[in-house]
Amino acid sequence: MNKLIKYAILLLFVMASGCRKDSVTNNSSSTSVIPNDFLSNSNYDKLIVEIQYLNGFAPTAAAISNLNTFLQMRLNKTTGISIVQKAISSPVKSVYTLAEIQAIENVNRTQKTSGKTLTAYFFFAEGDYAANSGSSKVLGVAYGSSSMVIFEKTIRDFSGGVTQPPLSTLESTVIHHEFGHILGLVDNGTPMQVAHLDTSHGKHCDDQNCLMYYAAETSDIVANIVGGNIPALNTKCLDDLKGNGGK
Ligand SMILES: [Zn+2]
Ligand SMILES: [Zn+2]
């Protein structure tokens, strides 16, 4: 294949994946990237993950440490992976729409992808997701090619009690799950090596013990977290990541 055709195919893919994942208008705050950019070392050899939160709603230190371990184990980044955190000021809201979350990112995100450095962004919200309906609450959303929101207040509502998982365990479950979508799971920019898509629940794994099972980003997961263990990726998801440049 000549270089021009390769470039055209890549460009089409980037555009298609941008349209599919972003339900709100993207602006110039983030470069559109693809899962292979995170997994392989070819286009970017360094990753900076930026975490922003309102005072009092930072993730636990254990969750940050777990995220670092999770990324180090899966991504090829020879110049390293770092996580930077910052409290931001923003009006407190009881519920957030996706458009409001992206507006917060547009104003506050400081780490931008350029050169050989790739960046990712998390906002930890001190309210619930506006699109919640019924008793099942959304705990996190991956809404752009490198952007995620974690509903920290909702996570706290469903953790830490006698019959609930520890806070850091539930945080890590949701943080890892959303990053899994950014890494292209399941069939979300990273091709499946064998079929394991849960066709009735979008871009999720059909194994209820896998991190990428659909319930892992909602309050429904709480009953499934046994003994404080963070769900891991199953072999099929791991094979997909390896097949797309990961480790
Ligand atoms: Zn999901
Ligand atoms: Zn899986």
Side-chain angles (χ1 to χ4, degrees):
M1 213 186 300
N2 78 39
K3 272 185 181 168
L4 192 66
I5 292 172
K6 268 188 186 168
Y7 179 72
I9 289 171
L10 180 68
L11 190 68
L12 273 173
F13 180 72
V14 168
M15 288 164 67
S17 96
C19 295
R20 190 184 62 240
K21 287 187 199 164
D22 292 331
S23 51
V24 282
T25 312
N26 228 332
N27 73 4
S28 59
S29 80
S30 59
T31 304
S32 197
V33 289
I34 57 173
N36 178 264
D37 291 333
F38 284 92
L39 292 162
S40 82
N41 203 52
S42 36
N43 290 335
Y44 302 96
D45 62 13
K46 181 180 179 180
L47 171 67
I48 300 173
V49 179
E50 180 167 36
I51 288 179
Q52 297 193 324
Y53 51 86
L54 285 105
N55 265 325
F57 283 85
T60 59
I64 300 299
S65 170
N66 291 339
L67 173 61
N68 187 52
T69 304
F70 177 79
L71 296 174
Q72 301 282 357
M73 284 175 70
R74 303 292 155 232
L75 311 188
N76 285 299
K77 292 288 164 255
T78 51
T79 310
I81 296 170
S82 59
I83 300 175
V84 296
Q85 298 182 70
K86 187 173 169 242
I88 55 170
S89 56
S90 186
V92 173
K93 290 173 165 290
S94 57
V95 295
Y96 285 85
T97 65
L98 216 44
E100 288 168 335
I101 290 156
Q102 184 147 57
I104 290 169
E105 176 187 359
N106 290 344
V107 170
N108 294 286
R109 180 171 177 164
T110 65
Q111 301 293 334
K112 309 285 170 66
T113 295
S114 71
K116 295 282 279 177
T117 301
L118 178 63
T119 63
Y121 180 82
F122 279 101
F123 174 60
F124 281 71
E126 86 298 10
D128 294 325
Y129 190 31
N132 280 335
S133 64
S135 59
S136 176
K137 301 277 186 280
V138 172
L139 303 180
V141 176
Y143 59 90
S145 64
S146 68
S147 306
M148 295 152 277
V149 57
I150 304 295
F151 295 98
E152 177 72 11
K153 182 256 173 197
T154 323
I155 287 177
R156 292 187 189 190
D157 289 346
F158 285 94
S159 63
V162 181
T163 60
Q164 295 175 327
L167 171 58
S168 63
T169 303
L170 190 54
E171 285 177 328
S172 287
T173 301
V174 182
I175 292 168
H176 296 182
H177 178 100
E178 299 316 328
F179 224 114
H181 286 311
I182 297 297
L183 301 181
L185 296 172
V186 171
D187 197 26
N188 192 36
T190 287
M192 291 188 289
Q193 303 296 304
V194 295
H196 62 112
L197 182 69
D198 178 352
T199 47
S200 49
H201 294 105
K203 303 295 182 182
H204 290 111
C205 183
D206 60 9
D207 175 358
Q208 63 172 353
N209 295 314
C210 179
L211 174 68
M212 295 314 293
Y213 190 58
Y214 78 95
E217 64 190 345
T218 75
S219 54
D220 296 340
I221 192 63
V222 170
N224 290 15
I225 297 180
V226 188
N229 290 326
I230 303 158
L233 291 168
N234 69 354
T235 307
K236 288 172 183 170
C237 282
L238 288 173
D239 287 347
D240 292 353
L241 298 184
K242 286 175 200 150
N244 194 24
K247 61 184 185 187

